């Protein structure tokens, strides 16, 4: 059974036809051409595929594509504002918080979900927020620091 | 039943590159018609920063801004030959090749500029900001862009260079089996502080402090990034990771991220790193390599710290609670 899925991807209305049982990650990457969420494990254990569904972080590899029908999906491509990077992206760059970069989109989205809900998180809350995201390169410390830094940058922007 | 603290030290002497039948890397550098430079390389960037370091080395050698250098590692089938990104060799081996290629390209650049300015190439220098100028008379100058244009469209010349770096094969002494596999070594010393719970056998790493002697750090931020990531990997090797927990029995091996244990962000301790820069004689601007050695010192340092804390020697990685409790039982005669 195929199903037409209409959703709002990073602010723009898009539509695609999903096979029955197809997951949201495949829909985004293969049908809609947004390869920013990564396919790490395809079984919910690495976090590389994390996207926001109506603002909540979900693992796209475990989410049925048709569940996104009529809803808002945000991937890391939707973080920046025109040419202007999101403070999280800036903080990751300045803090050298990526090496191979494979975990980075999932980390950024998990961090975005945290900062949307808790603009001034503690270190423990940051660690908790990325506990489901595996990184094999950085040792996590630079990522935790970058998220804390981004929270400060965002507070600065709010003034 | 209590928690015990211990401290352990490890020192490391690490070879840069390898040598079976020789260890070569090649690079090609050429200018585009707009005066930008492209370095073609088969040494792959897998997050360690090969491209950044290559840009820096080429820009420094050519005398042009780093933004004007692009690195193409697109295809190891068709690119200049390289043994690969492994054995901590990328910066050292490929870096030397990049410098050699950039030198040759610079020579052509200066020759074309000399013809245009009607001076001797030896009297020319690059200002590092996109100009070739006469030494001592910087107002007599031509932009690198214009030189590239003239070379391409007027003089029919390719501003390009070939670079090769080879550590030749080392013969094995038939009497002793001795050989000299590498030309340079990096060094490190690390102190690990741990807490061991003698009831659960659990080890918490409290801190890692290290000094690394790595020749010249071409990009300090990339070096630190790799050393911190490597410290995490070392903790992971020491305390968590194994594909075969009951080796030689192959049963119960982990098959995914859920079962293959690695430390998470909450298990990571503060890491303090000091760099000692003693340029290597045959390194690119004195650099050695840090790729693999970043993950090794935590393992013996943590093993020694466990011994210091609770007096048991664990000689098999990873140092799991199970092994520590067994060793404690044996020590208590149970
Ligand atoms: S790819 Fe979805 S959690 Fe790993
Ligand atoms: S940067 Fe490589 S997995 Fe995180």
């Amino acid at each position: 059974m195929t199903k037409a899925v209409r959703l709002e991807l990073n602010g723009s209305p898009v539509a695609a036809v999903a096979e029955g049982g197809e997951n949201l990650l495949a829909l985004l990457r293969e049908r809609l051409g947004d390869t920013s969420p990564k396919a790490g494990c395809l079984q919910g254990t690495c976090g590389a595929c994390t996207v926001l569904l109506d603002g909540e972080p979900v693992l796209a590899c475990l989410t049925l594509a048709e569940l996104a029908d009529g809803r808002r999906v945000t991937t890391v491509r939707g973080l920046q504002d025109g040419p202007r990077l999101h403070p999280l992206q800036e903080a990751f760059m300045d803090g050298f918080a990526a090496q191979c970069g494979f975990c980075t989109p999932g980390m950024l989205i998990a961090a975005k979900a945290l900062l949307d809900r808790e603009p001034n998180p503690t270190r423990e809350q940051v660690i908790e927020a990325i506990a489901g995201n595996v990184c094999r390169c950085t040792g996590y410390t630079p990522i935790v620091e970058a998220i804390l830094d981004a929270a400060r940058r965002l507070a600065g922007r709010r003034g | 039943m209590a928690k015990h603290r211990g401290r352990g030290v490890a020192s490391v002497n690490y070879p840069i590159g390898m040598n079976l039948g020789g260890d070569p890397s090649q690079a090609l550098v050429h200018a585009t018609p707009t005066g930008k430079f492209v370095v073609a390389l088969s040494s792959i960037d897998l997050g360690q920063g090969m491209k950044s370091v290559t840009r820096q080395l080429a820009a420094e050698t050519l005398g042009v801004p780093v933004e004007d250098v692009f690195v193409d590692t697109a295809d190891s089938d068709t690119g200049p030959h390289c043994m690969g990104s492994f054995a901590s060799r990328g910066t050292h081996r490929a870096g030397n090749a990049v410098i050699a290629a950039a030198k040759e390209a610079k020579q052509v650049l200066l020759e074309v500029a000399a013809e245009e300015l009607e001076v001797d190439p030896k009297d020319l220098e690059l200002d590092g900001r996109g100009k070739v100028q006469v030494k001592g008379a910087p107002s007599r100058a031509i932009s690198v862009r214009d030189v590239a244009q003239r070379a391409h469209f007027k003089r029919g010349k390719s501003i390009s260079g070939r670079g090769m770096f080879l550590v030749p094969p080392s013969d094995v002494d038939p009497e002793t089996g001795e050989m000299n596999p590498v030309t340079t070594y990096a060094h490190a010393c690390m102190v690990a502080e741990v807490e061991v719970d003698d009831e659960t056998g659990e080890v918490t790493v409290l801190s890692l402090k290290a000094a690394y002697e790595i020749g010249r750090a071409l990009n300090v931020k990339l070096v630190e990034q790799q050393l911190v990531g490597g410290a995490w990997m070392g903790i992971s090797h020491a305390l968590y990771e194994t594909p075969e927990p009951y080796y030689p029995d192959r049963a119960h091996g982990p098959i995914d991220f859920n079962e293959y244990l690695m430390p998470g962000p909450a298990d990571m301790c503060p890491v303090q790193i000091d760099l000692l820069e003693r340029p290597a004689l045959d390194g690119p601007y004195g650099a050695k390599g840090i790729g693999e050695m970043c993950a090794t010192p935590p393992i013996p340092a943590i093993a020694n710290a466990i011994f210091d804390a609770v007096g048991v020697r664990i000689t098999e990685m990873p140092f799991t609670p199970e092994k520590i409790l067994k060793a404690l039982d044996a020590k208590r005669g149970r």
Side-chain angles (χ1 to χ4, degrees):
Chain A
M1 268 292 281
T2 58
K3 175 144 175 35
V5 182
R6 292 179 190 80
L7 57 103
E8 192 187 301
L9 178 58
N10 299 324
S12 306
V14 293
V17 175
E19 291 294 330
E22 182 168 319
N23 64 49
L24 179 58
L25 184 62
L27 187 88
L28 290 170
R29 289 180 58 88
E30 284 151 36
R31 302 201 191 273
L32 296 170
D34 184 346
T35 52
S36 63
K38 300 299 170 205
C41 64
L42 297 178
Q43 56 175 17
T45 55
C46 76
C49 64
T50 310
V51 300
L52 299 180
L53 188 59
D54 286 340
E56 287 299 316
V58 297
L59 298 172
C61 73
L62 294 189
T63 305
L64 278 177
E66 58 189 76
L67 288 180
D69 192 38
R71 299 171 76 180
R72 278 180 301 124
V73 174
T74 308
T75 68
V76 85
R77 278 199 192 157
L79 285 195
Q80 68 193 75
D81 178 9
R84 196 172 179 210
L85 291 178
H86 190 277
L88 271 165
Q89 294 169 305
E90 283 173 357
F92 267 60
M93 265 175 51
D94 294 346
F96 283 68
Q99 287 188 37
C100 77
F102 204 83
C103 71
T104 313
M107 290 285 184
L108 285 166
I109 291 292
K112 167 92 164 66
L114 169 70
L115 297 186
D116 284 349
R117 158 177 104 240
E118 178 50 69
N120 188 18
T122 62
R123 174 173 289 266
E124 285 64 38
Q125 285 172 313
V126 171
I127 287 173
E128 177 86 38
I130 60 164
N133 295 69
V134 172
C135 176
R136 193 64 243 202
C137 302
T138 61
Y140 296 101
T141 308
I143 295 176
V144 173
E145 296 295 343
I147 296 170
L148 290 168
D149 180 25
R152 288 190 295 271
R153 290 175 194 234
L154 276 162
R157 276 197 193 181
R158 282 191 303 269
Chain B
M1 297 298 156
K3 290 185 175 177
H4 306 270
R5 288 208 171 186
R7 199 179 274 172
V9 182
S11 55
V12 180
N13 188 30
Y14 210 89
I16 306 308
M18 49 102 225
N19 193 328
L20 300 165
D23 190 8
S25 276
Q26 302 190 0
L28 295 172
V29 170
H30 76 272
T32 67
T34 54
K36 310 286 181 196
F37 286 85
V38 180
V39 186
L41 208 62
S42 297
S43 319
I44 301 306
D45 193 330
L46 27 83
Q48 83 282 43
M50 193 67 226
K51 281 187 173 170
S52 304
V53 164
T54 296
R55 283 182 98 181
Q56 286 180 261
L57 289 171
E60 178 78 20
T61 309
L62 287 161
V64 301
V66 83
E67 311 81 85
D68 289 352
V69 179
F70 297 86
V71 181
D72 176 8
T73 57
D75 193 337
S76 54
D77 268 351
T78 52
H81 176 250
C82 177
M83 293 297 280
S85 293
F86 61 89
S88 312
R89 64 185 293 289
T91 298
H92 188 268
R93 303 293 201 264
N96 273 318
V98 169
I99 291 177
K103 275 187 181 157
E104 196 172 289
K106 183 178 182 180
Q107 196 47 45
V108 185
L109 177 76
L110 292 178
E111 280 163 17
V112 176
E115 285 169 20
E116 292 297 326
L117 292 172
E118 298 179 355
V119 294
D120 190 309
K122 285 198 211 62
D123 294 332
L124 291 176
E125 64 185 5
L126 280 110
D127 72 347
R129 293 194 295 268
K131 268 201 184 124
V132 187
Q133 63 196 24
V134 175
K135 287 181 195 161
S139 58
R140 286 192 67 195
I142 180 169
S143 70
V144 172
R145 184 174 190 278
D146 285 346
V147 179
Q149 294 267 317
R150 307 284 157 79
H152 277 86
F153 299 107
K154 186 167 136 196
R155 305 203 177 260
K157 279 201 172 167
S158 165
I159 301 180
S160 55
R162 303 151 300 172
M164 170 79 181
F165 186 70
L166 170 68
V167 176
S170 155
D171 288 334
V172 180
D173 183 323
E175 296 295 317
T176 60
E178 198 180 317
M179 69 183 294
N180 188 12
V182 291
T183 60
T184 187
Y185 288 82
H187 310 92
C189 184
M190 178 174 273
V191 181
E193 240 189 313
V194 305
E195 188 171 77
V196 185
D197 186 324
D198 69 5
E199 189 170 4
T200 64
E202 223 174 316
V203 178
T204 309
V205 184
L206 302 173
S207 72
L208 295 174
K209 297 182 179 130
Y212 279 84
E213 188 283 293
I214 54 158
R216 174 125 41 211
L218 296 182
N219 186 319
V220 174
K221 278 300 204 181
L222 287 180
V223 168
E224 284 173 355
Q225 178 187 45
Q226 222 173 102
L227 290 175
V228 171
W232 172 87
M233 282 181 214
I235 295 175
S236 196
H237 295 323
L239 299 177
Y240 297 81
E241 282 181 58
T242 173
E244 294 178 337
Y246 300 106
Y247 185 82
D249 182 352
R250 293 249 145 109
H252 307 295
I255 53 166
D256 56 33
F257 285 124
N258 266 349
E259 297 172 5
Y260 189 79
L261 292 184
M262 298 180 285
D267 305 310
M268 192 55 184
C269 67
V271 179
Q272 184 195 317
I273 286 161
D274 285 318
L275 299 181
L276 307 175
E277 294 188 281
R278 297 175 57 193
L281 290 180
D282 71 344
Y285 298 106
K288 297 179 179 177
I290 49 157
E292 287 173 348
M293 76 178 305
C294 61
T296 51
I299 304 165
I302 290 170
N304 287 336
I306 292 171
F307 179 74
D308 186 41
V310 290
V312 297
R313 279 259 167 241
I314 314 295
T315 53
E316 230 172 69
M317 292 148 59
F319 318 137
T320 55
E322 187 181 357
K323 287 178 195 161
I324 289 168
L325 289 179
K326 271 191 185 152
L328 282 171
D329 276 353
K331 191 178 153 224
R332 294 174 187 134
R334 280 193 228 151

